[in-house]
Amino acid sequence: MFSMVVLAASVAQARPVSYPDGIMPMAEHSHMGTIANVTYSPTARVAYGVQSEYRQHQESWFNGVIVNWLPWRKNMRTSQANLYFRSGLGQTHTRGKNDVGGFAGMNADWENRRYLVAYENRYFADGGKAESAFDEKLRLGIAPYKAPYEQWQPWFIVQVDHAPEDDEQVTVTPMLRMFKGAFLGEAGISHRGDIYSSVILQF
Amino acid sequence: MKRTILFGLLTILVSTSVFAEEVKVKVNGMVCAFCAQGIEHALKEEQTVEHVKVDLDSGVVTIHTHDKQAITDKTIDRIITDAGFTVESVERK
């Protein structure tokens, strides 16, 4: 029986799909837990990979395969909008018990060289617990200036996490993003003092 | 006079077949370093391409081909479309 559990952590991955033949490792740590994954994109529309994730509140591990899909993209002269779907299936390990788990979610974003708006959500199911989980996040960002491709591009971003089943339903995290070439790194502190950090490489 | 015209024509012919080509491509949707890197990587996979320069601010990708080699508009469009972006225009020097 595939019952559900609250597993409220999702990947704030800026680009879930890379360029054709691209490999993209990613790691993220937040108040919700720690996630690491690596994906391979055979085309610019889809990415396959593996993910390992630890959810701090649930004391639960997830190890499985993931698929990210880009069904829609709008390229404009100075901006771009995307719609992604993400999914994963694997094994969970929660307080000594192994079970099947998985997730599905979507990302929608729009950005130009100075501003970004991104929304994502995820529903996570774990066969080991009779609970279900949904979480979502909104990001607003502004770049103080437009750096050339060869130089570091800073972004000031505010992320608002909403996890309806959590005791602390809303978390606000201001962060700094530094972006250059194949490297994207983010670091911030939530309004409760929790550290947020993430790194994405693309090669 | 005939000799001058013939020399001019030969010069044009030689210059287009011997020297490298520079192509400026205006790309829509190229808004971040990952976008630029993806386009650069995809174009460098093409054997005729020697060097690629990306200008994020203008959205222009400048392609330099190897000597005696050229890249067609169709090939440029295919590579950039496959990389997830849209070609707005192609300008050759």
Side-chain angles (χ1 to χ4, degrees):
Chain A
M1 191 65 185
F2 196 71
S3 57
M4 315 295 180
V5 69
V6 173
L7 294 168
S10 64
V11 183
Q13 195 159 335
R15 297 272 167 180
V17 179
S18 182
Y19 55 75
D21 216 24
I23 294 171
M24 194 157 56
M26 176 270 180
E28 180 191 61
H29 174 78
S30 72
H31 66 289
M32 293 178 172
T34 303
I35 299 172
N37 69 38
V38 59
T39 55
Y40 168 73
S41 297
T43 74
R45 290 283 176 180
V46 69
Y48 308 102
V50 290
Q51 179 161 311
S52 184
E53 178 173 352
Y54 179 70
R55 287 163 299 279
Q56 200 162 304
H57 298 161
Q58 293 77 21
E59 297 174 17
S60 178
W61 282 91
F62 168 81
N63 293 297
V65 294
I66 57 174
V67 178
N68 299 327
W69 177 43
L70 170 65
W72 181 84
R73 168 174 283 176
K74 178 72 175 171
N75 289 316
M76 290 154 277
R77 291 196 87 177
T78 57
S79 63
Q80 187 187 77
N82 298 289
L83 177 68
Y84 297 94
F85 289 107
R86 295 173 293 113
S87 60
L89 184 67
Q91 185 188 55
T92 59
H93 181 82
T94 310
R95 300 182 193 97
K97 190 176 186 308
N98 293 327
D99 220 313
V100 175
F103 62 84
M106 56 85 73
N107 295 28
D109 64 53
W110 172 89
E111 70 177 285
N112 63 15
R113 297 262 290 134
R114 292 298 301 274
Y115 306 101
L116 71 85
V117 182
Y119 169 82
E120 70 177 73
N121 62 33
R122 185 172 78 155
Y123 185 80
F124 203 117
D126 183 344
K129 299 285 179 183
E131 295 174 69
S132 62
F134 173 80
D135 71 281
E136 58 190 344
K137 61 185 63 175
L138 177 69
R139 286 181 151 212
L140 299 173
I142 182 167
Y145 58 88
K146 293 190 280 187
Y149 173 42
E150 302 81 8
Q151 294 178 18
W152 287 100
Q153 173 68 67
W155 282 86
F156 298 118
I157 295 172
V158 175
Q159 176 172 304
V160 180
D161 291 89
H162 178 227
E165 289 91 354
D166 270 10
D167 293 336
E168 306 269 11
Q169 290 191 1
V170 176
T171 304
V172 179
T173 310
M175 64 183 77
L176 174 67
R177 169 189 284 183
M178 295 301 287
F179 204 165
K180 181 185 176 185
F183 176 88
L184 186 156
E186 296 173 338
I189 299 176
S190 79
H191 75 284
R192 282 193 292 276
D194 299 304
I195 291 172
Y196 175 90
S197 62
S198 73
V199 174
I200 303 174
L201 301 172
Q202 180 179 255
F203 52 87
Chain B
M1 183 64 181
K2 277 182 185 175
R3 193 172 289 177
T4 308
I5 292 168
L6 188 64
F7 181 76
L9 286 171
L10 278 171
T11 305
I12 292 166
L13 192 66
V14 166
S15 66
T16 54
S17 60
V18 171
F19 298 112
E21 189 179 24
E22 182 183 291
V23 188
K24 288 189 180 292
V25 186
K26 177 77 176 72
V27 179
N28 287 351
M30 192 170 64
V31 293
C32 69
F34 278 3
C35 307
Q37 195 208 6
I39 289 168
E40 189 179 58
H41 180 268
L43 284 165
K44 282 181 175 172
E45 292 284 298
E46 181 67 21
Q47 285 187 342
T48 57
V49 174
E50 184 181 34
H51 178 69
V52 178
K53 183 168 169 44
V54 177
D55 185 344
L56 275 176
D57 221 16
S58 63
V60 172
V61 177
T62 306
I63 304 166
H64 291 270
T65 63
H66 290 287
D67 286 352
K68 299 180 186 176
Q69 296 198 24
I71 186 167
T72 65
D73 289 8
K74 193 177 174 183
T75 302
I76 292 168
D77 190 64
R78 175 182 54 77
I79 291 169
I80 288 175
T81 302
D82 286 351
F85 303 89
T86 311
V87 173
E88 186 181 297
S89 63
V90 178
E91 184 187 316
R92 292 171 188 277
K93 279 195 174 176

